Amino acid sequence: MRDVDDNVASPTLEGKAKALFVCWVLGLGSLVAWNSMLTITDYYYKVFPKYHPSRVLTLVYQPFAVGTIALLAYYEASINTRKRNLAGYMIFSLSTLMLVVLDLSTSGKGGIGPFIGLCVIVAAFGVADAHVQGGMVGDLSLMRPEFTQSFIAGLAASGALTSALRLVTKAAFDKYNNGFRKGAILFLSISTLLEFLCFLLYAFYFPKLPIVNFYRAKAAKEGSKTVSADLAAAGIKTSGNQEGAGDSKHLDRLSNKQLMLQNIDYMINLYLIYVLTLSIFPGFLYENTGQHKLGEWYAVVLVAMYNVWDLISRYIPVVKCLKLKSRRGLTVAVLSRFLLIPAFYFTAKYGDQGWMLMLTSFLGLTNGYLTVCIMTEAPKGYKGPEQNALGNLLVVFLLAGIFSGVSLDWLWLIGKPFFQ
């Protein structure tokens, strides 16, 4: 077994392209289960028409995600990141499989019992999300910014992929008897396989890449305890003296409170990005945009447009001259997005579907672009343990923003009957 000092002598780019691709796939797996739920909401509106599935399921998901990530972020410095991420991907795999089992066992019938079962599975998604997103962002933050960008792009790709798969399965089974349900089951089965693939990639392939080992060994030398299990999986040991040095350095790292104070603008901006986005997507798009020529395809197409532009925008900052680095500029851009609220309101009331498609695309475009700019800029200039902690804290604010957004989304229903 090699010593950690053998891996921090000089940087290496060996395996960088492979690492970027794996980060992308792992990002895909971090949200593909949840995006599967969002994308087949048109099916759940058929099964549970009285329960506002898009709003209720999102609201169930978020408290478990926020509560779990807050707890994990608090104890981040002593948590085994490898076990955390593997547990998250496994929970995702089993929970997505349980969606298929639930539908098959109830024969696709509605009612309060199956809906409660659906909510329990969604709660498990929230727990898994907190494990994976915080764990992966923290882990990648102590490596290269490109890895974080690729992972975040994978998050958006999950939305675009699930939307594309949903359009295909919906069209393929459209004329079959009970085709709506068959398409949804096939869709969830594919998502289950993708989640399990991510589990295997993170467990056996990712820790063996030389460039990943270099940055994890570097973080261990700076005092990080969260990478030891991953280094051990790659056959790299941390010597006793090195561990002692790591403990000493760990005492010198900035506390979570200090990191928050130094990066509070980044965190609040990330929070506000997702407050706005989730106050519109997906509940408003499913329930408040009226009837149009696309009929039952309308909401599915809106969700697809959001996801595609969210994905495209996450690659824009890769071009250095197009990346917004100014902290003040980011704040102005984030606050300006709130003009979208009256824009969506008046477009839904007076505009046609073309304007709504354009607005939804812009919502996705700004969401993805600003997220990448913040997540890749904030960790710069810190040591490995601090970057890991900061990555976790950023995800706390991101998920808190999502929770607040889905709660505010209910305000669109003021003046309308709850059970329609």
Side-chain angles (χ1 to χ4, degrees), residues 147-165:
F147 291 0
T148 302
Q149 183 275 330
S150 188
F151 178 80
I152 295 173
L155 295 177
S158 69
L161 177 64
T162 52
S163 290
L165 282 174

Side-chain angles (χ1 to χ4, degrees), residues 346-412:
F346 287 110
T347 300
K349 197 169 184 179
Y350 303 111
D352 60 22
Q353 60 189 23
W355 286 103
M356 184 60 72
L357 286 167
M358 185 191 73
L359 273 180
T360 304
S361 299
F362 187 73
L363 180 71
L365 179 70
T366 53
N367 184 83
Y369 173 77
L370 293 171
T371 298
V372 170
C373 288
I374 291 173
M375 297 287 268
T376 54
E377 281 299 309
K380 289 183 178 179
Y382 292 101
K383 295 185 292 185
E386 294 163 344
Q387 290 173 322
N388 188 27
L390 182 55
N392 275 268
L393 290 172
L394 289 170
V395 175
V396 170
F397 277 77
L398 186 153
L399 292 179
I402 294 176
F403 184 26
S404 300
V406 300
S407 300
L408 292 171
D409 183 42
W410 287 87
L411 295 177
W412 294 107

Side-chain angles (χ1 to χ4, degrees), residues 268-281:
I268 291 177
N269 283 336
L270 203 56
Y271 172 82
L272 292 176
I273 289 170
Y274 284 88
V275 165
L276 174 69
T277 299
L278 272 295
S279 67
I280 296 170
F281 177 89

Side-chain angles (χ1 to χ4, degrees), residues 162-175:
T162 52
S163 290
L165 282 174
R166 184 59 184 141
L167 290 170
V168 170
T169 55
K170 186 177 175 67
F173 290 93
D174 194 37
K175 297 181 180 179

Side-chain angles (χ1 to χ4, degrees), residues 16 79 99 118 127 194 214 223 253 256 270 307 312 344 357 362 377:
K16 179 183 176 182
I79 290 177
L99 287 176
L118 189 63
V127 173
L194 285 172
F214 166 75
R253 60 155 272 189
N256 284 355
L270 203 56
N307 285 326
I312 292 172
F344 269 97
L357 286 167
F362 187 73
E377 281 299 309

Side-chain angles (χ1 to χ4, degrees), residues 100 165 169 172-173 181-192:
V100 179
L165 282 174
T169 55
F173 290 93
R181 177 175 173 241
K182 292 176 181 176
I185 292 175
L186 174 61
F187 183 78
L188 291 173
S189 300
I190 294 172
S191 298
T192 303

Side-chain angles (χ1 to χ4, degrees), residues 1 17 53 62-63 69 85 93 99 109 127 159 185-186 235 240 263 280 288 296 300 320-321 346 363 372 391 399 402:
M1 184 176 279
Q62 291 308 322
I69 187 62
N85 289 331
S93 300
L99 287 176
K109 295 179 181 178
V127 173
I185 292 175
L186 174 61
N263 296 276
I280 296 170
N288 296 90
E296 66 178 21
V300 178
K320 293 184 178 180
C321 63
F346 287 110
L363 180 71
V372 170
L399 292 179
I402 294 176

